[in-house]
Amino acid sequence: MANILSGFTTIPFGVLVVIFIAYFQMPVNDALFAMLDSSAYILYGAGMILSWWFNRSRVFFITMLLALSQYALSGTAAADTGIAALPAVLYPVLCTLLPMNIFVFSLLKERGIFNTWGLGRFAIILFQVFYVAMAITANDSTMLSFFHKEFLAEDLSGITKIPQVALLAYAAAFLLLFIRQLKTRSRLDRTFAAVLVSTMLGLQWQAEPLALPVFFAAAGIMLIIAVIQDSYSMAYLDELTGLPARRALKEELMKLRGEYTIAMVDIDFFKKFNDTYGHDTGDDVLCLVATVLRKVTGGGKAFRYGGEEFTIVFPHTPLADALPHLEKLREAIEKTPYAYRGKRAHKTKKKATKKLFVTISIGAAERSEKHAETHEVIKAADTALYRAKKKGRNCVSK
């Protein structure tokens, strides 16, 4: 639980804290407002292009919502429409719709932007714009009354200008994202939660000139960082296990100098295990083994090599020093059970659960005069792995 909470408050909330502190140090003047306001829209444009390029439709549409909301509450929108009171009328509406939209769009799957799925999402936004525009044009207070509803007897106007229904929307959206984060541990979910907080701060201090461009732009920055991080993960991390993948291993090998040890790890009888219990269980076992490998001691770094094979690199470590850590790793995996839930029994209609255990074989080699290049060390480790399997598996060979 502590690891989840610490992950929940990493980069997105770090950005928010920095922006929050900087906000109170900024001098309020027209020149700074004009610069920040225009910069925010440039930022939104860059974020939308980046999210389109990397097919991150959730980020694309949430960034669009930020841009539309900031414009709607600006003096520019009031001047363009000729409705001087437009920001005041729209304020309770946007305070409520923005968190609801952020949460809803955060749930949608990445199915593209300029296609049938994307058009449907554009339609969701346009419908809301049309509804609000009709209500304002017709001066129909009934259509807008929902956004002014009060659920608490206490008057909160002395604490916040955000309407009670909007506070409820923000609280519900943040709570649901937090619960979802506990299950998925998703970087994007952490970002969306931080975006909720940032936009709420902007709306809370909306009467102050710099609040909207500063805190809405901060939300845009968080989304851009999330896209970059997500793209990095796709390129360098294995999607199934979360371990660094072959590309990351290749770059790690290029950095090696001096003495080092490389170990090749293979799950014993994995094909038979897959055929017996199914590929889904096989995937679960790969993740289980990866979780243990991630905790390798002695300065080792674990990578997913491919299939049921993994690689562990020990920089600046001779083979003799790495072997005890590899043996410790082998024993840890041997003792770590996987809870397999089989088919439902006919009488009880409950899934039978039993513990399954897997073992690994490890082959290790170090850089030497005979094996001077990294590919030669890997080949030597592969040969050692073959020897470990010939010995009967579930052992470490050098």
Side-chain angles (χ1 to χ4, degrees):
M1 183 67 155
N3 291 335
I4 297 173
L5 292 175
S6 63
F8 199 86
T9 56
T10 50
I11 292 180
F13 285 92
V15 170
L16 182 57
V17 169
V18 171
I19 296 295
F20 184 85
I21 295 171
Y23 173 74
F24 290 100
Q25 310 301 319
M26 293 178 181
V28 180
N29 57 63
D30 292 341
L32 181 61
F33 170 77
M35 183 191 74
L36 290 175
D37 192 55
S38 57
S39 297
Y41 291 109
I42 294 172
L43 191 70
Y44 301 143
M48 290 171 68
I49 291 171
L50 191 67
S51 55
W52 164 74
W53 183 264
F54 288 105
N55 193 35
R56 290 294 173 267
S57 59
R58 293 185 294 170
V59 172
F60 179 91
F61 287 105
I62 290 176
T63 304
M64 176 186 287
L65 288 168
L66 294 176
L68 290 174
S69 299
Q70 183 175 328
Y71 170 75
L73 294 174
S74 68
T76 306
D80 290 345
T81 59
I83 306 173
L86 184 65
V89 174
L90 285 179
Y91 179 75
V93 177
L94 290 175
C95 283
T96 306
L97 291 182
L98 187 56
M100 293 170 64
N101 276 272
I102 290 173
F103 176 70
V104 169
F105 278 99
S106 74
L107 297 179
L108 300 179
K109 294 182 179 179
E110 305 288 3
R111 288 181 170 172
I113 298 169
F114 300 107
N115 55 17
T116 305
W117 296 102
L119 290 176
R121 296 169 191 187
F122 278 114
I124 292 173
I125 297 174
L126 288 175
F127 172 78
Q128 294 174 83
V129 172
F130 177 77
Y131 177 90
V132 175
M134 286 291 293
I136 294 173
T137 304
N139 196 23
D140 189 341
S141 59
T142 304
M143 294 177 71
L144 299 174
S145 61
F146 169 77
F147 304 103
H148 296 273
K149 283 187 177 180
E150 295 187 356
F151 300 94
L152 301 175
E154 293 81 2
D155 183 11
L156 301 179
S157 60
I159 302 173
T160 177
K161 300 299 181 185
I162 299 176
Q164 289 186 18
V165 66
L167 291 174
L168 183 63
Y170 264 108
F174 187 86
L175 180 62
L176 291 171
L177 275 174
F178 181 78
I179 293 172
R180 189 174 176 216
Q181 165 63 19
L182 295 179
K183 296 178 181 178
T184 65
R185 306 190 186 187
S186 164
R187 182 182 295 109
L188 274 176
D189 284 341
R190 291 197 295 270
T191 300
F192 295 143
V195 166
L196 280 173
V197 177
S198 192
T199 56
M200 187 174 180
L201 290 174
L203 292 169
Q204 165 68 15
W205 294 316
Q206 182 257 350
E208 300 177 17
L210 301 181
L212 279 181
V214 167
F215 287 104
F216 275 48
I221 292 171
M222 296 173 205
L223 292 169
I224 288 175
I225 292 173
V227 171
I228 294 171
Q229 285 183 306
D230 213 35
S231 302
Y232 172 86
S233 296
M234 287 181 62
Y236 288 94
L237 299 182
D238 176 60
E239 184 178 6
L240 176 63
T241 64
L243 286 177
R246 285 283 286 272
R247 179 179 292 187
L249 173 61
K250 183 178 179 181
E251 293 191 5
E252 180 68 22
L253 295 176
M254 292 173 65
K255 295 186 290 184
L256 292 175
R257 294 290 183 272
E259 60 182 359
Y260 56 84
T261 296
I262 297 176
M264 298 299 294
V265 180
D266 187 83
I267 301 176
D268 296 330
F269 302 110
F270 185 71
K271 185 179 184 304
K272 182 179 178 181
F273 190 92
N274 242 355
D275 293 342
T276 303
Y277 298 105
H279 291 284
D280 288 343
T281 301
D283 287 347
D284 289 343
V285 168
L286 283 170
C287 293
L288 179 73
V289 171
T291 301
V292 180
L293 292 179
R294 191 179 284 111
K295 300 173 184 177
V296 60
T297 55
K301 300 178 183 178
F303 300 82
R304 173 86 185 276
Y305 193 78
E308 67 269 29
E309 277 195 297
F310 301 86
T311 304
I312 302 175
V313 178
F314 293 89
H316 315 297
T317 306
L319 179 60
D321 291 345
L323 286 175
H325 300 287
L326 292 172
E327 184 63 34
K328 180 181 176 182
L329 199 64
R330 182 198 65 77
E331 291 176 358
I333 289 174
E334 183 183 29
K335 295 175 182 177
T336 302
Y338 169 72
Y340 171 71
R341 295 181 179 178
K343 297 179 179 180
R344 295 178 184 272
H346 292 294
K347 293 182 179 180
T348 61
K349 294 185 179 181
K350 291 182 179 180
K351 290 185 177 180
T353 302
K354 66 176 179 178
K355 291 182 179 180
L356 302 179
F357 291 87
V358 295
T359 61
I360 59 171
S361 298
I362 304 175
E366 64 183 345
R367 184 180 183 272
S368 62
E369 290 184 5
K370 185 179 179 181
H371 306 121
E373 301 296 327
T374 53
H375 69 274
E376 294 173 333
V377 181
I378 288 179
K379 188 175 180 180
D382 253 333
T383 303
L385 175 62
Y386 179 73
R387 287 197 296 270
K389 289 187 173 294
K390 286 192 71 175
K391 287 180 183 178
R393 294 178 167 82
N394 191 24
C395 62
V396 180
S397 182
K398 58 180 180 177

